[in-house]
Amino acid sequence: MAYECFQNWSVQKLKTELRKRSATTHGRKSDLVERLKAYERNRNFRQSAVYPPDAICVFGQLLDFSD
């Protein structure tokens, strides 16, 4: 989606898209547009999780992070 098109959307359409993303839907139209822009910029971050290793070796010392 192009960011520019959000400004041309109706408030109802903006709120519908925000609900799809489980985002808050209150605020002025400019707030809704900015919120959608942020979700579009960061959408890849939610899809791929980063998991820390169970243990790492630092300066010859084993650090264990497992539970």
Side-chain angles (χ1 to χ4, degrees):
M1 273 180 206
Y3 299 147
E4 310 84 50
C5 71
F6 292 144
Q7 191 61 41
N8 298 328
W9 288 8
S10 67
V11 171
Q12 188 61 38
K13 186 171 181 178
L14 292 168
K15 287 184 176 186
T16 299
E17 289 299 315
L18 286 166
R19 278 189 205 98
K20 289 179 185 177
R21 294 161 173 80
S22 299
T24 58
T25 58
H26 66 277
R28 294 177 293 210
K29 182 176 181 176
S30 59
D31 298 330
L32 304 178
V33 168
E34 287 304 314
R35 202 168 297 136
L36 267 177
K37 285 181 182 179
Y39 269 86
E40 284 299 303
R41 281 191 304 268
N42 298 312
R43 72 174 178 241
N44 292 331
F45 295 130
R46 298 182 112 200
Q47 295 172 355
S48 58
V50 176
Y51 300 101
D54 289 335
I56 59 172
C57 186
V58 178
F59 300 114
Q61 186 176 14
L62 184 65
L63 301 176
D64 189 2
F65 300 108
S66 61
D67 292 325

